[in-house]
């Protein structure tokens, strides 16, 4: 993706006020030629960065959100109170719900670790919440929040695994010997790529020793973080490798990327096996 087109998408995201699921609808209408999964990934990356700066679990934030919730319930407002509060305070519905749960059960579960564990369980299974009104409000948040809901977490994990299976099958079709991440960790490696090839392959003149699957869009910031926290360790230990950003990437990242790294958005067809 060209930088200019990415900039237009980001401009639309930053200018939108509302739920991210509605923002995605706007993006798909405005950029019909771009894959929906790509737009969602770009939106998700930007929104999560925004939440890192905006969301806080300080006592004042917790008390404020809980007081607003209690006032709305006391006034008999219609269902969807927490969702409306999340929009007014510009945080994700499930994060707003978490603040309310932390306050609701702080006296009952006075141990911090127990409180955090139980709140996480309540977000995953609202039937555990003894307050029926609050339980329904939290349940609505899990339905409308397409970024921080536990349902979304499960879906992201599943999608990531599906793309790893695609690579696994391709390597087997080519008759290539390889070790997966689980096997490498058993050997004691702390940072491991998804696939380490026993015998390297060659793609476009570059000898490839490992492959990393990323079911996300590769923008400059996330790619830079991956290099720092993952890729640099891989190529220092194993040599050059291939990274597949299945939902596309900004073309400019290939210009600044080390020659030890090849960037693609699908499995290359011109794979040469080495003797």
């Amino acid at each position: 993706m060209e930088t200019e087109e990415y900039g237009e998408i980001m401009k639309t995201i930053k200018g939108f006020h509302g739920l991210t699921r509605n923002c995605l609808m706007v993006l798909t209408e405005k950029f019909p030629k771009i894959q929906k999964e790509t737009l969602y990934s770009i939106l998700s990356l930007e929104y999560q960065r925004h939440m890192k700066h905006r969301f806080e679990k300080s006592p004042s934030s917790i008390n404020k959100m809980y007081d607003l919730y209690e006032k709305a319930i006391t006034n008999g407002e219609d269902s969807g109170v927490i969702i409306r509060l999340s929009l007014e305070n510009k945080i994700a519905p499930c994060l707003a719900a978490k603040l309310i749960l932390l306050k609701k059960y702080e006296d009952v579960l006075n141990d911090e670790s127990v409180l955090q564990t139980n709140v996480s369980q309540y977000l995953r299974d609202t039937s555990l919440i003894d307050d029926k009104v609050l339980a329904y409000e939290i349940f609505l948040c899990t339905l409308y929040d397409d970024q921080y809901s536990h349902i979304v977490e499960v879906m992201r994990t599943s999608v990531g695994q599906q793309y790893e299976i695609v690579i696994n099958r391709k390597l087997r079709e080519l008759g290539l010997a390889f070790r997966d991440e689980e096997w490498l960790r058993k050997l004691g490696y702390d940072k491991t790529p998804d696939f380490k090839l026993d015998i390297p392959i060659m793609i476009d003149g570059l000898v490839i020793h490992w492959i990393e699957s990323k079911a996300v869009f590769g923008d400059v910031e996330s790619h830079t973080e991956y290099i720092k926290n993952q890729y640099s360790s891989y190529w220092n230990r194993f040599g050059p490798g291939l990274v597949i950003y299945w939902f596309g990437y900004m073309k400019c990242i290939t210009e600044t990327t080390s020659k030890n790294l090849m960037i693609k958005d699908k499995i290359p067809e011109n794979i040469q096996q080495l003797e």
Side-chain angles (χ1 to χ4, degrees), residues 19-21 40 80 82-83 86 92-98 101 119-127 129 134-155:
L19 295 172
T20 51
R21 57 187 291 166
Y40 173 80
I82 300 179
I83 293 175
S86 73
C94 283
L95 295 183
K98 187 172 186 177
L101 285 170
V119 166
S120 296
Q121 291 176 343
Y122 294 156
L123 286 168
R124 285 176 166 77
D125 185 359
T126 56
S127 67
I129 302 174
L134 178 58
Y136 183 65
E137 286 288 334
I138 302 294
F139 177 69
L140 288 178
C141 291
T142 63
L143 294 181
Y144 281 83
D145 191 339
D146 66 347
Q147 299 298 326
Y148 288 90
S149 167
H150 71 281
I151 299 172
V152 175
E153 293 177 7
V154 172
M155 291 174 64

Side-chain angles (χ1 to χ4, degrees), residues 10-24 26 43:
M10 291 297 291
K11 183 178 179 181
T12 301
I13 293 172
K14 292 181 178 180
F16 183 86
H17 302 287
L19 295 172
T20 51
R21 57 187 291 166
N22 295 332
C23 182
L24 181 60
V26 172
L43 170 61

